[in-house]
Amino acid sequence: MYTTSKKPVLLVIAHGSRDPRHAATVHALVRRVRSLRPDVRVETGFLDFNIPSVQGVLESLAAEGVEEIVALPLLLTRAFHAKADIPAVLRDAPPRLRIRQAEVLGPSPLLLTALERRLYEAGLTPADKSSTGVVLASAGSTDPEAIAVIAEIAREWRHTGWCAVRPAFASAALPRTEDAVRELRALGCERVAVAPYVLAPGFLPDRIALGAAEADVLAEVLGPSPEVARVLLKRYDAAHMPLLAAVGA
């Protein structure tokens, strides 16, 4: 029988950054996840720059006797890190561990709710939607799948009542945030808001902020918003359900 104590450990895998705000935001998000699901053990590992490393956490868990882990990429799209870096690290895990890699966080309707939360916290109201153009500003990627996902999210978000929504990228793809802001101005939107589709502060979010200089509103990053925490847990549950079925068989 599958009991609460036997639930797989949730290992949140973050990229890491030299910017201390990045790790602080990741830890704040993990604290929120723990508060929502105290029955699940949640650990954090970083691919680069910060400690503990993913490999170090995996070795520690194996030494404790942990057997099952759900490894969750703290990423919004399936790009290089989700497809290559993280699977490579997990393949080098101690052999006693049974690891299932969860899906990345996006896309999700909950993330759109989180984006709107940040815009309203920055000063907009629901009554402003029809007259406001929004730049959906992501970090960017060389992966065509990731770029296509961002464009599709922008199209879907437009249908919720905004004047217009345009995708933008801080690196590796075009348009840049400032160009999307100017495009929305040219379309005749009464005001322009920039919504960073990123999880934590750092170099590329700072570039998004610079590109938002001519916008009327700049929202904060998604960070430890309750919606992001709920998406994490949805991805965890979806990943460990097959483990549950196997144990109950």
Side-chain angles (χ1 to χ4, degrees):
M1 185 69 180
Y2 195 87
T3 64
T4 296
S5 62
K6 295 293 183 65
K7 284 186 176 178
V9 171
L10 169 55
L11 172 58
V12 176
I13 300 179
H15 183 272
S17 172
R18 292 186 178 90
D19 189 322
R21 297 174 298 168
H22 174 89
T25 301
V26 170
H27 291 310
L29 175 59
V30 168
R31 286 194 297 271
R32 185 180 286 275
V33 171
R34 288 178 178 142
S35 72
L36 291 174
R37 291 283 291 277
D39 59 320
V40 176
R41 179 177 176 180
V42 187
E43 299 292 341
T44 309
F46 295 90
L47 292 173
D48 206 353
F49 302 115
N50 302 108
I51 55 172
S53 68
V54 176
Q55 189 64 33
V57 175
L58 291 171
E59 291 172 358
S60 294
L61 291 173
E64 287 182 32
V66 170
E67 296 180 350
E68 295 178 350
I69 295 174
V70 170
L72 193 151
L74 197 59
L75 301 167
L76 294 172
T77 59
R78 267 183 50 79
F80 180 77
H81 295 303
K83 295 177 179 179
D85 281 359
I86 291 175
V89 172
L90 297 180
R91 281 194 296 272
D92 289 336
R96 68 164 291 144
L97 296 174
R98 295 196 297 275
I99 304 175
R100 187 177 296 271
Q101 183 175 327
E103 292 296 326
V104 297
L105 302 184
S108 167
L110 283 169
L111 295 178
L112 288 182
T113 301
L115 286 166
E116 294 202 358
R117 170 193 290 275
R118 292 301 188 227
L119 287 171
Y120 297 150
E121 289 171 350
L124 294 178
T125 70
D128 296 323
K129 291 183 75 168
S130 63
S131 57
T132 302
V134 179
V135 177
L136 179 68
S138 77
S141 173
T142 57
D143 189 307
E145 178 187 348
I147 298 301
V149 166
I150 299 299
E152 179 59 26
I153 292 170
R155 283 192 291 270
E156 291 182 4
W157 202 15
R158 163 68 181 85
H159 295 310
T160 65
W162 297 100
C163 172
V165 179
R166 294 289 185 271
F169 307 94
S171 67
L174 297 173
R176 294 287 184 257
T177 302
E178 53 269 32
D179 297 324
V181 169
R182 292 173 188 135
E183 181 185 353
L184 291 171
R185 291 270 188 234
L187 283 175
C189 296
E190 185 175 316
R191 67 184 64 77
V192 177
V194 174
Y197 191 59
V198 292
L199 289 166
F203 175 74
L204 293 178
D206 284 349
R207 183 179 288 179
I208 289 171
L210 287 173
E214 296 179 18
D216 302 294
V217 173
L218 171 62
E220 292 291 332
V221 300
L222 294 173
S225 66
E227 295 85 3
V228 174
R230 287 167 59 196
V231 175
L232 251 82
L233 289 170
K234 285 172 71 73
R235 298 292 182 258
Y236 168 80
D237 288 338
H240 88 74
M241 284 305 176
L243 296 175
L244 171 62
V247 171

